[in-house]
Amino acid sequence: LKETRTNPPAPEPRPARCTGIVKGLDETAPGIFSLDLDAPAIARSASPGQFVHVRAADGWDPLWRRPFSVHRVGKNRRTIRLVFRRVGRGTGLLSRLAAGTGVDLLGPLGNGFDLEGGFKTAVVAAGGLGIAPAFFLADRLAAAKKRIVLVWGARTRSEFFGLDTLPRRGLRIHLATEDGSEGYRGRVTGLLENLLPDAGAGGSVRGFACGPTPMLRSLAPAALASGFAWQASLEERMACGVGVCQGCVVRVREGGYRTVCADGPVFDLGGIEFDD
Ligand SMILES: Cc1cc2nc3c(=O)[nH]c(=O)nc-3n(C[C@H](O)[C@H](O)[C@H](O)COP(=O)(O)OP(=O)(O)OC[C@H]3O[C@@H](n4cnc5c(N)ncnc54)[C@H](O)[C@@H]3O)c2cc1C
Ligand code: FES
């Protein structure tokens, strides 16, 4: 008998681990920081909606990495920018990084937004720091010559940043603040409900939503009634970040549970089962 040989199975792609060097850190808005890292391997391969898993300090405290969306990729394709709100120990440590420090990164992780297909207009809805992936998304949408309707809600006007750096061509911006200090008074979901009846007029549209779970939950009915498809980027607390620990699962209508880190963080909005 002739020995039959089969090729060994292709190895599972491993998330790349690298050291990002701090190029700059600014407090862009009160309590909100933008962190530029020289990380060419991630800058070259990241797509909008993907995230990096960041070790906030050497040693064991905090034990787990912290996930942050890629906010921007430098034109030189060497640097990435993260924006984060200082909320706890991990982001507190990151907010004090000195220029030149090496930061342990894993990524880019997750699936990212699906930008394939013939849509002409993108409605991008962001709540608070949910705006983080929306800038990178807007850059890529503009490069693909899509019209962009960006709807961003924050607590107050000082939390808006970077709007003058967005691509200008084909972009319309609508802002909402809970205290009425800028734009529509109220939540981004209220503003979006007013805009959606007109948003679909005049061509094929795709919706992209990024923000905390309560925002996505309250956005879902109006978004799903809009007549066009929506993708949503979810935020869950994470440990491993690579689909192993099952610590970040979300319930979906078809097929039980999915991990936000490896199957997401971007899901079809209509397919998510939000817990009441
Ligand atoms: C895919 C993904 C992308 C993210 N991108 C960004 C980003 O670009 N910018 C940004 O500021 N934040 C982002 N987050 C949230 C960010 O990871 C957390 O704010 C961060 O881990 C907090 O770490 P900490 O040690 O400072 O706070 P902790 O001490 O761990 O927690 C402080 C407070 O924040 C809450 N919290 C912590 N993690 C999360 C989370 N994942 N979702 C919701 N609430 C949380 C805790 O419940 C607690 O109330 C993202 C989360 C995910 C899952
Ligand atoms: S964080 Fe471990 S499976 Fe998602």
Side-chain angles (χ1 to χ4, degrees), residues 43-184:
R44 277 196 296 269
S45 57
S47 59
Q50 288 192 296
F51 67 96
V52 288
H53 219 18
V54 180
R55 191 169 282 294
D58 296 335
W60 301 105
D61 180 25
L63 178 61
W64 297 108
R65 292 169 182 270
R66 301 294 194 251
F68 298 96
S69 305
V70 177
H71 174 62
R72 274 230 150 127
V73 166
K75 286 204 173 71
N76 55 8
R77 290 268 177 136
R78 277 199 66 89
T79 53
I80 58 167
R81 175 169 294 177
L82 311 180
V83 291
F84 61 89
R85 191 190 295 279
R86 187 172 50 201
V87 290
R89 175 138 176 85
T91 47
L93 288 162
L94 294 175
S95 72
R96 295 193 293 276
L97 284 171
T101 308
V103 181
D104 184 343
L105 305 172
L106 203 59
L109 299 179
N111 57 357
F113 294 103
D114 178 7
L115 304 183
E116 296 300 313
F119 66 100
K120 291 194 178 123
T121 301
V123 177
V124 181
L129 253 282
I131 197 67
F135 274 49
F136 187 15
L137 176 63
D139 288 340
R140 288 287 163 91
L141 289 166
K145 299 195 166 33
K146 309 287 185 191
R147 283 193 295 268
I148 306 165
V149 180
L150 176 66
V151 191
W152 183 7
R155 285 182 292 216
T156 187
R157 67 179 303 179
S158 63
E159 296 187 349
F160 295 121
F161 57 88
L163 288 167
D164 55 338
T165 68
L166 282 167
R168 300 239 63 84
R169 204 194 133 274
L171 173 72
R172 273 169 45 212
I173 299 174
H174 300 269
L175 301 177
T177 48
E178 287 174 30
D179 65 1
S181 53
E182 181 78 48
Y184 171 88

